[in-house]
Protein backbone atom coordinates (compact mmCIF):
# COMPACT_ATOMS: atom_id res chain seq x y z
CA UNK A 1 0.00 0.00 0.00
CA UNK A 2 2.79 2.43 0.89
CA UNK A 3 4.50 1.79 -2.45
CA UNK A 4 1.25 2.68 -4.22
CA UNK A 5 1.01 5.89 -2.16
CA UNK A 6 4.60 6.76 -2.98
CA UNK A 7 3.93 6.25 -6.69
CA UNK A 8 1.07 8.77 -6.58
CA UNK A 9 2.47 10.99 -3.84
CA UNK A 10 0.73 14.27 -4.46
CA UNK A 11 -2.71 12.76 -5.01
CA UNK A 12 -2.27 10.41 -2.02
CA UNK A 13 -1.30 13.36 0.17
CA UNK A 14 -4.40 15.28 -0.93
CA UNK A 15 -6.66 12.30 -0.23
CA UNK A 16 -5.19 11.81 3.25
CA UNK A 17 -5.71 15.49 4.07
CA UNK A 18 -9.33 15.26 2.87
CA UNK A 19 -9.94 12.13 4.96
CA UNK A 20 -8.33 13.77 8.00
CA UNK A 21 -10.46 16.89 7.79
CA UNK A 22 -13.59 14.92 6.92
CA UNK A 23 -13.22 12.82 10.07
CA UNK A 24 -12.48 15.90 12.18
CA UNK A 25 -15.51 17.73 10.80
CA UNK A 26 -17.73 14.73 11.46
CA UNK A 27 -16.47 14.48 15.05
CA UNK A 28 -17.04 18.21 15.58
CA UNK A 29 -20.57 17.93 14.17
CA UNK A 30 -21.33 14.88 16.33
CA UNK A 31 -19.91 16.51 19.48
CA UNK A 32 -21.58 19.89 18.91
CA UNK A 33 -24.92 19.09 20.62
CA UNK A 34 -23.19 17.99 23.84
CA UNK A 35 -20.93 21.03 23.79
CA UNK A 36 -23.82 23.41 23.12
CA UNK A 37 -25.71 21.94 26.07
CA UNK A 38 -22.66 22.38 28.31
CA UNK A 39 -22.17 18.63 28.73
CA UNK A 40 -18.40 18.59 28.35
CA UNK A 41 -17.05 15.87 30.61
CA UNK A 42 -13.88 16.09 32.69
CA UNK A 43 -12.22 13.67 30.26
CA UNK A 44 -13.18 15.92 27.37
CA UNK A 45 -11.77 18.99 29.11
CA UNK A 46 -8.53 17.20 30.03
CA UNK A 47 -8.00 15.87 26.50
CA UNK A 48 -8.78 19.27 25.01
CA UNK A 49 -6.40 20.98 27.44
CA UNK A 50 -3.60 18.51 26.65
CA UNK A 51 -4.22 19.12 22.97
CA UNK A 52 -3.98 22.90 23.41
CA UNK A 53 -0.80 22.63 25.51
CA UNK A 54 0.93 20.28 23.08
CA UNK A 55 -0.17 22.38 20.11
CA UNK A 56 1.12 25.58 21.72
CA UNK A 57 4.43 23.96 22.67
CA UNK A 58 4.82 22.64 19.12
CA UNK A 59 4.12 26.05 17.58
CA UNK A 60 6.75 27.58 19.86
CA UNK A 61 9.38 25.33 18.22
CA UNK A 62 8.04 24.97 14.70
CA UNK A 63 6.81 28.26 13.33
CA UNK A 64 3.68 28.38 11.16
CA UNK A 65 5.73 29.02 8.01
CA UNK A 66 7.42 25.64 8.43
CA UNK A 67 4.12 23.72 8.69
CA UNK A 68 2.36 22.08 5.82
CA UNK A 69 -1.04 20.40 5.98
CA UNK A 70 -0.02 18.28 3.00
CA UNK A 71 2.51 15.61 4.02
CA UNK A 72 5.12 16.91 1.56
CA UNK A 73 7.77 19.03 3.31
CA UNK A 74 7.99 22.66 2.30
CA UNK A 75 10.80 23.42 -0.16
CA UNK A 76 12.64 25.68 2.29
CA UNK A 77 11.38 23.99 5.45
CA UNK A 78 13.78 23.22 8.27
CA UNK A 79 14.03 20.01 10.25
CA UNK A 80 13.00 20.75 13.84
CA UNK A 81 14.24 18.42 16.57
CA UNK A 82 13.81 20.55 19.72
CA UNK A 83 10.90 20.97 22.12
CA UNK A 84 8.24 18.30 21.65
CA UNK A 85 10.13 17.04 18.59
CA UNK A 86 12.77 15.64 20.99
CA UNK A 87 10.15 13.11 22.08
CA UNK A 88 7.84 12.61 19.09
CA UNK A 89 8.22 13.13 15.36
CA UNK A 90 4.66 14.35 14.73
CA UNK A 91 3.48 16.41 17.70
CA UNK A 92 0.86 18.22 15.60
CA UNK A 93 -0.68 14.89 14.63
CA UNK A 94 -0.71 14.00 18.34
CA UNK A 95 -2.38 17.35 19.02
CA UNK A 96 -5.05 16.54 16.44
CA UNK A 97 -5.58 13.07 17.93
CA UNK A 98 -6.02 14.51 21.44
CA UNK A 99 -8.54 17.10 20.18
CA UNK A 100 -10.37 14.40 18.22
CA UNK A 101 -10.47 12.17 21.30
CA UNK A 102 -11.97 15.06 23.27
CA UNK A 103 -14.74 15.31 20.68
CA UNK A 104 -15.16 11.53 20.39
CA UNK A 105 -15.96 11.13 24.09
CA UNK A 106 -18.95 13.43 23.56
CA UNK A 107 -20.43 11.25 20.83
CA UNK A 108 -21.81 7.72 20.87
CA UNK A 109 -19.06 5.30 21.92
CA UNK A 110 -19.30 3.20 18.76
CA UNK A 111 -19.39 6.06 16.24
CA UNK A 112 -16.90 8.25 18.10
CA UNK A 113 -14.52 5.36 18.64
CA UNK A 114 -14.73 4.29 15.02
CA UNK A 115 -14.13 7.83 13.77
CA UNK A 116 -11.18 8.30 16.15
CA UNK A 117 -9.61 4.95 15.21
CA UNK A 118 -10.08 5.81 11.53
CA UNK A 119 -8.31 9.12 12.14
CA UNK A 120 -5.42 7.29 13.83
CA UNK A 121 -5.15 5.10 10.72
CA UNK A 122 -5.25 8.06 8.34
CA UNK A 123 -2.60 9.95 10.32
CA UNK A 124 -0.39 6.87 10.58
CA UNK A 125 -0.46 6.44 6.79
CA UNK A 126 0.03 10.20 6.31
CA UNK A 127 3.01 10.14 8.73
CA UNK A 128 4.56 7.20 6.87
CA UNK A 129 4.29 9.04 3.56
CA UNK A 130 5.59 12.24 5.13
CA UNK A 131 8.55 10.41 6.67
CA UNK A 132 9.56 9.01 3.26
CA UNK A 133 9.59 12.56 1.91
CA UNK A 134 11.43 13.91 4.94
CA UNK A 135 14.16 11.30 4.52
CA UNK A 136 14.63 12.49 0.95
CA UNK A 137 14.47 16.19 1.90
CA UNK A 138 16.54 16.24 5.13
CA UNK A 139 19.79 14.27 5.39
CA UNK A 140 19.48 13.87 9.18
CA UNK A 141 15.86 12.71 9.32
CA UNK A 142 16.53 8.95 9.21
CA UNK A 143 18.90 9.13 12.19
CA UNK A 144 16.51 11.45 14.07
CA UNK A 145 13.58 9.08 13.49
CA UNK A 146 15.44 6.19 15.10
CA UNK A 147 15.54 8.04 18.43
CA UNK A 148 11.96 9.31 18.58
CA UNK A 149 8.50 7.80 18.50
CA UNK A 150 5.86 8.74 15.98
CA UNK A 151 2.93 10.01 18.11
CA UNK A 152 3.34 9.03 21.78
CA UNK A 153 6.67 9.35 23.64
CA UNK A 154 8.27 6.00 24.52
CA UNK A 155 5.30 4.07 23.00
CA UNK A 156 4.19 4.81 19.43
Amino acid sequence: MISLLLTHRHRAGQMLVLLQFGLLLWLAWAAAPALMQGNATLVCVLLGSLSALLGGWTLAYNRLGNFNIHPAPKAHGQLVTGGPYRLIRHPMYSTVLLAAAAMAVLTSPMAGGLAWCSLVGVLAVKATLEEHWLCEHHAGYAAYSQHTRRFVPWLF
Side-chain angles (χ1 to χ4, degrees), residues 3 10 18 29 38 40-41 49 64 69 85 122 130 135 141 148 152:
S3 62
H10 188 69
L18 285 173
W29 173 81
T41 64
S49 297
L64 286 174
I69 293 172
Y85 292 91
V122 166
E130 183 174 350
C135 282
Y141 190 81
T148 54
V152 180

Side-chain angles (χ1 to χ4, degrees), residues 79 81 89 135 138-148:
L79 180 61
T81 59
R89 297 189 301 269
C135 282
H138 297 288
Y141 190 81
Y144 159 73
S145 68
Q146 292 180 1
H147 303 289
T148 54

Side-chain angles (χ1 to χ4, degrees), residues 25-129:
L25 285 171
W26 184 87
L27 280 166
W29 173 81
L35 285 173
M36 291 171 49
Q37 294 172 359
N39 293 336
T41 64
L42 179 61
V43 172
C44 173
V45 172
L46 288 174
L47 289 167
S49 297
L50 282 172
S51 175
L53 288 171
L54 180 57
W57 188 26
T58 302
L59 287 175
Y61 279 86
N62 192 4
R63 303 288 183 232
L64 286 174
N66 206 38
F67 273 62
N68 196 1
I69 293 172
H70 193 278
K74 288 196 170 192
H76 300 291
Q78 296 179 340
L79 180 61
V80 179
T81 59
Y85 292 91
R86 285 180 298 128
L87 304 171
I88 49 180
R89 297 189 301 269
H90 302 281
M92 286 309 290
Y93 290 1
S94 299
T95 297
V96 167
L97 289 172
L98 285 166
M103 292 183 281
V105 299
L106 297 175
T107 67
S108 73
M110 177 80 91
L114 181 60
W116 188 82
C117 288
S118 297
L119 183 60
V120 170
V122 166
L123 290 179
V125 171
K126 187 177 171 190
T128 300
L129 183 60

